[in-house]
Amino acid sequence: MILPIANILTPDEVGLMMERLGSGRFQSGAATAGWHARLVKDNEQLRGDDPAHADLRALVEAAVRRHPVAAMATRPKAFGPILFARASGGQNYGSHVDDALMGGLRTDVSFTLFLTDPDSYVGGELVMETAAGDVGFKLPAGAGLFYPSTTLHRVTPVTAGRRLVAAGWIRSFVRDAAERELLFDLDTARQGVFNRDGKSAEFDLLSKCLSNLIRKWAED
């Protein structure tokens, strides 16, 4: 499931992050890439020892956890690294798949939170390479794209302006992407029934199915 979600970050949070990143210390993004991704990664990342990094990481993790749709789609157990990247002047990130293990954790779900207005830069689409063809995303500031970490993807060259994003990885309680999607669809339907009919017999049955599937599939 490749899922764009609006308003992961509030406008105030986006403003704060842009302010902190504006005075941050950046390094070549290749420094944190695997040996093969390093060949196609041309961007800059906030240094891990920058004073702002820990605060911004905590802000991003809290925002994803509190957002009901993001939490329902990812069912996060733990967060791996969270990186803050910028690109300009033709910089890009070629086709790659994220590492299976990052920071000692299995990566199940990858996400990108967009921090800059899409009209402020040219290029910079996050392209998912799917069996049905390439699908590009360039979302409003504060929105996020969530996708299985098994997905090939790339970022097209930023030919004007500057693109800033936060990128991170989640270890989910539910390892399998198809199972996570089934739970997401079932939970969405369950909430729709509740909004229409309240706590009905059908809602209770859907809740039972959801809870028992999570119990069956979750790795605690």
Side-chain angles (χ1 to χ4, degrees):
M1 180 169 60
I2 298 171
L3 185 65
I5 304 176
N7 302 318
I8 300 292
L9 298 167
T10 68
D12 286 345
E13 288 171 333
V14 171
L16 173 63
M17 293 184 70
M18 292 294 289
E19 180 181 349
R20 298 292 300 274
L21 291 172
S23 59
R25 295 177 295 162
F26 282 73
Q27 64 182 357
S28 170
T32 59
W35 64 269
H36 53 91
R38 192 177 300 125
L39 301 174
V40 295
K41 187 175 185 180
D42 178 20
N43 65 8
E44 297 175 302
Q45 287 174 189
L46 185 70
R47 291 170 55 107
D49 60 358
D50 187 278
H53 194 282
D55 291 342
L56 296 182
R57 173 194 163 87
L59 189 158
V60 167
E61 180 173 342
V64 173
R65 286 189 180 277
R66 76 169 181 243
H67 195 286
V69 178
M72 190 168 67
T74 63
R75 303 191 181 271
K77 179 176 182 178
F79 281 70
I82 295 176
L83 307 177
F84 304 91
R86 68 186 184 189
S88 61
Q91 290 179 314
N92 66 96
Y93 196 168
S95 181
H96 65 285
V97 65
D98 294 332
D99 287 343
L101 297 172
M102 290 191 182
L105 294 174
R106 187 185 67 236
T107 56
D108 297 320
V109 181
S110 303
F111 66 88
T112 297
L113 304 187
F114 292 75
L115 303 178
T116 37
D117 186 324
D119 293 333
S120 69
Y121 61 98
V122 178
E125 289 84 6
L126 176 56
V127 179
M128 299 288 111
E129 301 178 16
T130 76
D134 292 352
V135 183
F137 296 88
K138 189 175 178 180
L139 303 181
L145 186 71
F146 296 78
Y147 52 96
S149 298
T150 54
T151 310
L152 278 169
H153 56 286
R154 67 182 187 273
V155 177
T156 64
V158 179
T159 57
R162 176 174 286 174
R163 175 189 191 264
L164 284 104
V165 300
W169 295 268
I170 294 171
R171 178 176 177 178
S172 176
F173 279 107
V174 179
R175 177 199 296 247
D176 186 82
E179 292 171 354
R180 286 197 306 273
E181 184 171 356
L182 285 170
L183 293 173
F184 179 82
D185 290 345
L186 181 58
D187 210 351
T188 301
R190 180 183 74 119
Q191 293 181 31
V193 168
F194 183 86
N195 291 336
R196 187 187 65 216
D197 301 326
K199 191 177 181 301
S200 63
E202 288 79 10
F203 171 80
D204 287 343
L205 187 59
L206 289 170
S207 295
K208 173 190 172 185
C209 291
L210 178 66
S211 293
N212 287 337
L213 284 173
I214 293 173
R215 188 173 290 109
K216 178 181 177 65
W217 291 335
E219 300 177 3
D220 57 14

